[in-house]
Amino acid sequence: MRRQLSTAAVVIALAATATACNSDGVDAKPEDSASAAQSPAQQDPKGSGPAKDKPAQDQGGSLTLGGTATLKAKNGAEIAVTLKNFTDPAASDNKYMQPKPGKRWVAAQFEIVNKGQTVYDDSPANGVKVIDDQGQAFTHSIGSTTAGPNMPATVKLKAGEKALGYVVVSVPEKAKSKSVTFTPDSGFGKETGQWNVAK
């Protein structure tokens, strides 16, 4: 009986995780995702670090295109993350795979360099979000664009190695992109880089 209850609990937990994002790459709760992009000035005024409901610490501040954020993964790996390009809108390179009606694609090109000695092992696209001027955050979508090759689905970088590629994000057609964030460990890391991409 206990084994059946444990199995049921795991199934429920997996189902809840699966509903966090829909197939169009949009956060179900954008207001929660946006908290990962809080600047140091928005942390606990007592200086004790980020508020409990905002575990990620912004290491990028108000970086712009071409800026580099130095971030640490949970395993101690130190990476230099640079937003090399941001294409808005981004055209699909496959006529059979297009943004859904009322949506458009944007694409962020990141370069990730392992600056430390610990291997950086991650799925980078999972840690990317585009935030609009209303504070809504949107996650990556499946697709590729004419902007250039996608970021590999998984990377395992030794010291000095780097990865480069685009991450596609689906946003509402009328949304105005304001910033792009990157968080290691598939978005669950403690540090986040943020870049301003507002036009």
Side-chain angles (χ1 to χ4, degrees):
M1 182 65 176
R2 290 182 180 178
R3 183 176 296 176
Q4 291 176 339
L5 289 175
S6 298
T7 303
V10 170
V11 171
I12 291 172
L14 290 174
T17 302
T19 58
C21 296
N22 67 24
S23 61
D24 201 31
V26 183
D27 275 7
K29 294 183 179 179
E31 69 279 2
D32 292 338
S33 300
S35 67
Q38 297 296 324
S39 66
Q42 294 170 302
Q43 295 175 12
D44 185 352
K46 295 181 181 179
S48 59
K52 291 182 179 179
D53 61 339
K54 298 179 178 65
Q57 181 179 355
D58 177 13
Q59 298 295 311
S62 56
L63 290 171
T64 56
L65 193 65
T68 301
T70 300
L71 308 170
K72 281 190 177 181
K74 288 182 178 180
N75 70 345
E78 185 175 329
I79 55 174
V81 183
T82 304
L83 180 64
K84 304 285 285 185
N85 195 18
F86 184 73
T87 303
D88 183 5
S92 175
D93 64 358
N94 184 338
K95 66 179 181 179
Y96 299 108
M97 187 174 289
Q98 299 288 333
K100 291 183 178 180
K103 302 292 182 70
R104 75 178 190 277
W105 283 355
V106 298
Q109 185 189 42
F110 283 99
E111 179 183 73
I112 303 172
V113 182
N114 187 342
K115 304 294 287 186
Q117 297 302 311
T118 303
V119 172
Y120 173 62
D121 190 354
D122 199 2
S123 297
N126 293 337
V128 174
K129 287 182 172 65
V130 172
I131 302 172
D132 70 9
D133 61 351
Q134 301 301 309
Q136 297 183 101
F138 305 92
T139 59
H140 82 283
S141 294
I142 296 174
S144 54
T145 75
T146 57
N150 278 3
M151 175 70 70
T154 59
V155 299
K156 195 168 186 178
L157 306 178
K158 297 178 182 179
E161 292 183 339
K162 67 180 180 180
L164 175 69
Y166 280 89
V167 176
V168 178
V169 178
S170 177
V171 302
E173 185 62 46
K174 295 183 179 180
K176 295 180 179 179
S177 302
K178 182 178 180 181
S179 61
V180 178
T181 65
F182 178 85
T183 306
D185 302 302
S186 287
F188 292 98
K190 294 182 179 180
E191 298 183 349
T192 294
Q194 178 172 328
W195 293 261
N196 179 15
V197 294
K199 294 180 179 179

